[in-house]
Amino acid sequence: MAKAKPKLDPQFKASERDEVPFVLIIGENELNEGKVKVKEQKWEMQNGQKVKLMSEDEGIHVNRDELAQWLKNTEAYKE
């Protein structure tokens, strides 16, 4: 969700609630480098409930001008 002064915790909780497959983080470093940090989120069914899979993955930096194609090449997009 785009906000002027976002707090990360509520942003991540909203993305988990809505099962958003990717979180895009654009901080000061990313802006200066022309990149976006992309973190993939995954869920699976466990005992009849959808559960988010926890990951140690900190995300990957992608050039902003390559972001759309990068996302289209992911398994999550293809599904």
Side-chain angles (χ1 to χ4, degrees):
M1 296 179 292
K3 294 188 175 193
K5 293 186 179 184
K7 297 196 184 310
L8 286 180
D9 192 46
Q11 298 286 306
F12 280 114
K13 285 181 181 175
S15 72
E16 290 175 12
R17 179 192 65 232
D18 296 339
E19 297 180 19
V20 176
F22 299 100
V23 174
L24 305 179
I25 302 168
I26 306 172
E28 187 173 338
N29 291 341
E30 287 82 11
L31 281 174
N32 292 335
E33 296 171 6
K35 298 188 180 275
V36 175
K37 187 174 186 178
V38 182
K39 187 166 181 171
E40 190 170 357
Q41 302 188 113
K42 296 180 181 181
W43 289 262
E44 71 178 10
M45 293 300 286
Q46 293 180 359
N47 300 321
Q49 291 189 325
K50 218 169 211 185
V51 176
K52 182 180 178 204
L53 299 176
M54 299 315 269
S55 171
E56 297 295 321
D57 181 14
E58 294 293 319
I60 183 168
H61 282 97
V62 178
N63 290 328
R64 280 195 308 246
D65 59 348
E66 299 169 1
L67 179 61
Q69 189 59 50
W70 186 91
L71 289 168
K72 288 178 182 178
N73 289 334
T74 65
E75 288 301 314
Y77 181 86
K78 293 173 185 176
E79 290 175 7

